[in-house]
């Protein structure tokens, strides 16, 4: 029962502030400030309880310093990493992108490939596509390998 209530609260938080699209770090768009604050309160509590989806969304709040949350890139990265370790595919993809590009972390293609793989296994089409490209064109320190590329197609 407790896990159902927690799930219900997480769904409620997402309904209160449904972003029209997440295209990268810090690009969540909310329709109004009240919904943003309501979502932040719910996500903050659920993130503290270990909910990976809520940790992922709270990482945006700390990265951007919005909704009464002071900007804190280190905390943002910790939350994103926790969400990724919790097998949240969006967080894993975001972390992979950070490692690939060297944003808020040292550039590390091995780590990027590892996070892309984990995200792809957890259902991220963005991660699958990136692995396909990397094996097709020999990027991210990977060899050109048509057979490997097909696995991620």
């Amino acid at each position: 029962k407790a896990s159902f209530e927690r799930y219900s609260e997480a769904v409620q938080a997402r309904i209160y502030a449904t972003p029209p699209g997440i295209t990268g770090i810090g690009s969540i768009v909310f329709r109004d400030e009240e919904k943003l604050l309501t979502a932040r309160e719910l996500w903050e509590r659920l993130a503290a309880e270990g909910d990976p989806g809520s940790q992922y969304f709270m990482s945006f709040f700390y990265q951007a310093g919005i909704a009464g949350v002071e900007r804190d890139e280190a905390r943002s990265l910790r939350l994103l990493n926790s969400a990724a370790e919790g097998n949240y595919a969006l967080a894993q993809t975001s972390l992979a992108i950070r490692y690939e590009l060297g944003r808020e972390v040292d550039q590390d293609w091995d780590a990027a490939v590892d996070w892309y793989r984990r995200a792809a296994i957890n259902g991220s089409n963005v991660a699958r596509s990136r692995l396909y490209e990397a094996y097709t064109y020999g990027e991210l320190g990977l060899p050109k390998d048509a057979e490997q590329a097909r696995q991620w197609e």
Side-chain angles (χ1 to χ4, degrees):
K1 177 162 169 107
S3 63
F4 174 77
E5 288 173 7
R6 193 166 133 189
Y7 171 77
S8 177
E9 289 173 347
V11 168
Q12 184 180 14
R14 286 170 180 83
I15 290 169
Y16 275 123
T18 303
I22 300 169
T23 57
I25 299 299
S27 64
I28 295 178
V29 178
F30 292 89
R31 294 190 176 92
D32 67 50
E33 187 70 18
E34 186 178 326
K35 288 182 180 181
L36 172 70
L37 293 172
T38 300
R40 190 212 77 211
E41 289 172 6
L42 289 168
W43 285 333
E44 194 166 40
R45 184 169 45 80
L46 293 170
E49 293 174 9
D51 176 67
S54 298
Q55 291 169 336
Y56 172 72
F57 282 105
M58 283 306 300
S59 75
F60 286 102
F61 286 87
Y62 285 102
Q63 198 271 336
I66 58 173
V69 173
E70 189 172 322
R71 189 165 200 258
D72 185 339
E73 288 187 19
R75 188 164 185 188
S76 172
L77 187 59
R78 283 193 306 273
L79 284 164
L80 184 63
N81 194 58
S82 291
E85 289 291 346
N87 291 321
Y88 197 71
L90 287 172
Q92 291 170 327
T93 303
S94 293
L95 200 54
I97 292 167
R98 284 190 184 198
Y99 278 112
E100 178 178 356
L101 301 176
R103 291 190 181 157
E104 292 92 30
V105 295
D106 291 334
Q107 189 174 44
D108 183 339
W109 287 350
D110 290 337
V113 169
D114 179 55
W115 283 114
Y116 280 129
R117 280 190 181 121
R118 292 166 83 174
I121 289 166
N122 284 313
S124 170
N125 289 328
V126 170
R128 290 181 66 81
S129 177
R130 185 64 187 110
L131 288 169
Y132 171 79
E133 290 173 0
Y135 279 111
T136 298
Y137 302 108
E139 299 171 345
L140 299 175
L142 297 172
K144 285 185 180 183
D145 186 329
E147 186 176 322
Q148 281 289 325
R150 278 191 298 279
Q151 288 183 7
W152 301 109
E153 198 169 25

